[in-house]
Amino acid sequence: MSGGDKLDFEIRPNPAPVSAADRAALLANPGFGRVFTDHMVTVRYADGKGWYDARVEARAPIPMDPAAAVLHYAQEIFEGMKAYRTADGGVTMFRPEANAARFADSARRMAMPQLPEATFVDSLRKLIEIDREWIPEDEDSSLYLRPFMFASEVFLGVRPANEYLYVVIASPAGSYFSGGVKPVTVWVSPDYTRAAPGGTGAAKCGGNYAASLAAQAEAIEHGCDQVVFLDAVERRFVDELGGMNVFFVYDDDTLVTPPLTGTILPGITRESVLRLAQDAGHRIEERPVSFADWQADAASGRLREVFACGTAAVITPIGTVRFPDGEFVVGGGGSGRVTTALRQQLIDLQRGKVADPHNWVHRVI
Ligand SMILES: *Cc1c(COP(=O)(O)O)cnc(C)c1O
């Protein structure tokens, strides 16, 4: 069953789901990552057997042996995506095949088995269908989907595990940053880097996030919302934020974003923004941007806007940049015209409000 074969999911509805009244109360202000739906998907893998036991079942703790490999050597990957409620009562996902392909790439890098892409997309569909009542209605909200996979084999030796568990959970989500779409302040870390050439920067693995937390804590200590990482070799060029890619908008309407050289996570929002910007007539460039140029071009006014992008926060303007020697603002510290337009266009596209020339929107219901 490991090849291209599609697995059938056994559906075991939760015998004790959250009541409609309690669910409505939770959905009124879900925040991010705190409220969960009634179900989860689980699929098992064992060497020699392939993928098996695909289920949709009641969300519950996962029993784990203390010697489960993931607890020691962190063989774990994940994805993050959203299901959106459309005006006509339908439900959409945005480019789930791209997440499926990236999940397989991450698996390869972490020496894990690759879940067939059709099974990945099917697993999301099944969970959305059974938990559809949990998708918030309002414009800024969505159902955040978290597929992940980890080494479940009980073994302390250091080698790729031969048993894995793939899981999908879902969490209704309001706006990611507590302040809504206000511009954020970022901290340029002088000490920490996120990913080195040849490392795991392009894989969506929990380990990358573990390694970013001290830097993120440093950002918070300095009154910033997020950390910006510079490249690990020269400490000169901007890589990305802890969980978002970054774009620079210049006064000649060119959009620039750092190239995918293996140290940056290939964001699906990043790629979508590149296409949308090109469609809108912007020049786009994938090239390195140094921190020195960021500062100089912000001062001269040539750099008009900077924004971060990713599934969770969509597109968020970066207003202020802080570093050990000082700080500067970009474009007056507000949300720029191009940032605002791209954000609205992406949101409208994801919710099926505007034409979808690239066939990105995947109708679920
Ligand atoms: C997930 C992620 C992103 C954004 O990717 P999207 O596909 O746009 O959600 C950017 N950087 C890092 C480090 C990430 O983990």
Side-chain angles (χ1 to χ4, degrees):
M1 280 285 222
S2 59
D5 304 14
K6 208 158 151 186
L7 279 178
D8 281 331
F9 285 85
E10 185 192 336
I11 314 278
R12 300 182 179 177
N14 188 332
V18 172
S19 73
D22 287 351
R23 188 176 60 233
L26 290 167
L27 287 178
N29 185 15
F32 183 83
R34 293 193 181 281
V35 174
F36 298 95
T37 64
D38 291 313
H39 297 87
M40 65 181 185
V41 163
T42 55
V43 186
R44 286 170 194 283
Y45 177 91
D47 272 3
K49 189 167 176 179
W51 298 97
Y52 68 101
D53 242 1
R55 291 184 199 163
V56 180
E57 60 193 348
R59 184 179 178 281
I62 298 168
M64 187 146 39
D65 190 281
V70 66
L71 298 178
H72 304 274
Y73 311 121
Q75 243 193 322
E76 191 267 357
I77 58 171
F78 67 95
E79 274 298 324
M81 46 208 305
K82 288 173 170 174
Y84 307 91
R85 181 85 70 181
T86 60
D88 63 0
V91 179
T92 60
M93 282 192 281
F94 187 67
R95 308 188 67 182
E97 316 77 22
N99 293 89
R102 187 171 67 189
F103 195 66
D105 288 343
S106 298
R108 219 170 282 125
R109 178 63 184 84
M110 304 302 285
M112 299 165 85
Q114 287 134 55
L115 184 71
E117 293 178 20
T119 301
F120 178 94
V121 174
D122 202 30
S123 71
L124 301 168
R125 200 177 244 293
K126 293 283 191 302
L127 189 59
I128 292 167
E129 279 167 3
I130 199 163
D131 281 335
R132 58 194 291 176
E133 302 298 336
W134 285 93
I135 308 175
E137 307 259 342
D138 70 287
E139 166 91 341
D140 278 339
S141 303
S142 56
L143 185 65
Y144 185 79
L145 301 162
R146 168 52 62 86
F148 62 103
M149 173 168 50
F150 60 88
S152 55
E153 185 190 359
V154 179
F155 181 58
L156 289 184
V158 180
R159 57 148 170 77
N162 55 33
E163 288 171 26
Y164 295 86
L165 185 62
Y166 168 76
V167 186
V168 191
I169 54 176
S171 173
S175 186
Y176 183 69
F177 290 115
S178 46
V181 278
K182 284 201 314 264
V184 295
T185 297
V186 294
W187 171 250
V188 181
S189 177
D191 300 319
Y192 299 109
T193 58
R194 177 184 171 273
T200 58
K204 212 168 173 71
C205 61
N208 287 343
Y209 278 73
S212 77
L213 296 178
Q216 176 65 23
E218 194 182 68
I220 303 287
E221 272 166 34
H222 288 87
C224 300
D225 304 286
Q226 290 277 315
V227 60
V228 172
F229 289 104
L230 301 181
D231 79 280
V233 177
E234 297 188 61
R235 309 279 184 112
R236 265 178 71 202
F237 297 102
V238 179
D239 266 355
E240 62 170 318
L241 276 59
M244 280 177 280
N245 297 118
V246 63
F247 275 83
F248 300 84
V249 185
Y250 292 89
D251 61 357
D252 63 355
D253 261 359
T254 302
L255 266 77
V256 179
T257 194
L260 301 179
T261 57
T263 60
I264 293 174
L265 199 288
I268 294 159
T269 316
R270 174 190 178 280
E271 205 220 321
S272 306
V273 166
L274 281 171
R275 298 279 285 278
L276 291 177
Q278 204 166 27
D279 292 352
H282 293 282
R283 191 140 45 94
I284 57 170
E285 290 175 8
E286 294 176 73
R287 62 162 172 84
V289 175
S290 70
F291 179 59
D293 285 347
W294 185 357
Q295 193 172 1
D297 292 341
S300 75
R302 207 171 88 69
L303 178 65
R304 288 280 165 80
E305 308 173 26
V306 179
F307 63 83
C309 68
T311 296
V314 196
I315 288 178
T316 301
I318 294 176
T320 304
V321 185
R322 201 166 284 167
F323 53 103
D325 296 334
E327 67 173 46
F328 62 91
V329 295
V330 180
S335 181
R337 174 180 57 86
V338 175
T339 302
T340 305
L342 282 169
R343 179 185 162 86
Q344 196 57 49
Q345 199 189 348
L346 195 54
I347 290 173
D348 287 348
L349 190 54
Q350 288 166 339
R351 291 174 193 264
K353 286 190 186 166
V354 293
D356 174 26
H358 302 293
N359 262 315
W360 284 340
V361 178
H362 183 109
R363 188 94 191 188
V364 182
I365 293 171

